Amino acid sequence: MTRFSALALTGALLAIMVSGCDQGHDNATTSSSQRSSGTNQIYGGSLPCANCDGVDTELALNFSTDSAGGVYNLTETPRGGPDDGQTQKRKGNWKVLSGNAVPGGGTVYVLHPARGDEEHEPVYLLMEDNATLQLVDDSFQSLDTEHNDELHRL
């Protein structure tokens, strides 16, 4: 386990770990707002980090044929701190939760780590609009952070 891996998205994962991993959202429906005009969507921004100034993040969501999920590629580079500039890449599967599965009827993308990745927890991103994903906890609540917690569509 690298030091960076332990730090990446620590702020977000800390909130998830405190409230526990909730895998009970299997009644997901697909919203037309998640359908991609191509085969993927790319988002970028800086997310919170416990021991650095932020983690520059790029997320590529590759859609399956039903647009309810697919494979993601995540690139993270911390700014400041002990792992400054050490880029890490990981991937896994993602799915869309919407409708009754999400309080308030919103839409959440859930990033599940690849099999064998015991080091990372699922990441939850609430769609604010078609161009913005906000990092939230597993109860789909905003994180209590002073740092930016949004990724914007590139």
Side-chain angles (χ1 to χ4, degrees):
M1 176 161 122
T2 66
R3 288 180 71 189
F4 171 73
S5 295
L7 297 175
L9 295 178
T10 301
L13 296 178
L14 204 63
I16 292 169
M17 286 186 271
V18 168
S19 57
C21 280
D22 184 6
Q23 297 290 330
H25 301 292
D26 292 327
N27 294 328
T29 59
T30 302
S31 169
S32 62
S33 65
Q34 282 70 56
R35 298 193 194 287
S36 174
S37 59
T39 58
N40 63 38
Q41 293 177 359
I42 299 174
Y43 293 85
S46 181
L47 295 178
C49 174
N51 296 326
C52 67
D53 297 330
V55 178
D56 291 335
T57 304
E58 184 174 291
L59 171 64
L61 299 172
N62 299 306
F63 285 76
S64 64
T65 56
D66 65 4
S67 297
V71 176
Y72 72 86
N73 291 296
L74 185 64
T75 303
E76 302 167 307
T77 306
R79 284 181 287 107
D83 295 314
D84 183 44
Q86 295 180 25
T87 299
Q88 295 290 317
K89 295 182 179 189
R90 59 187 172 110
K91 57 182 157 181
N93 293 309
W94 65 274
K95 68 178 180 177
V96 173
L97 302 178
S98 61
N100 293 334
V102 179
T107 299
V108 173
Y109 290 162
V110 183
L111 309 180
H112 294 283
R115 289 184 187 188
D117 182 350
E118 304 296 326
E119 172 177 352
H120 296 99
E121 298 289 332
V123 174
Y124 300 85
L125 298 162
L126 176 68
M127 178 173 273
E128 292 184 342
D129 54 45
N130 272 343
T132 306
L133 299 175
Q134 179 187 10
L135 191 61
V136 294
D137 65 20
D138 64 346
S139 298
F140 315 129
Q141 301 300 310
S142 297
L143 301 178
D144 185 20
T145 178
E146 294 177 13
H147 190 278
N148 179 39
D149 59 0
E150 295 179 340
L151 298 176
H152 299 280
R153 192 162 179 185
L154 302 177

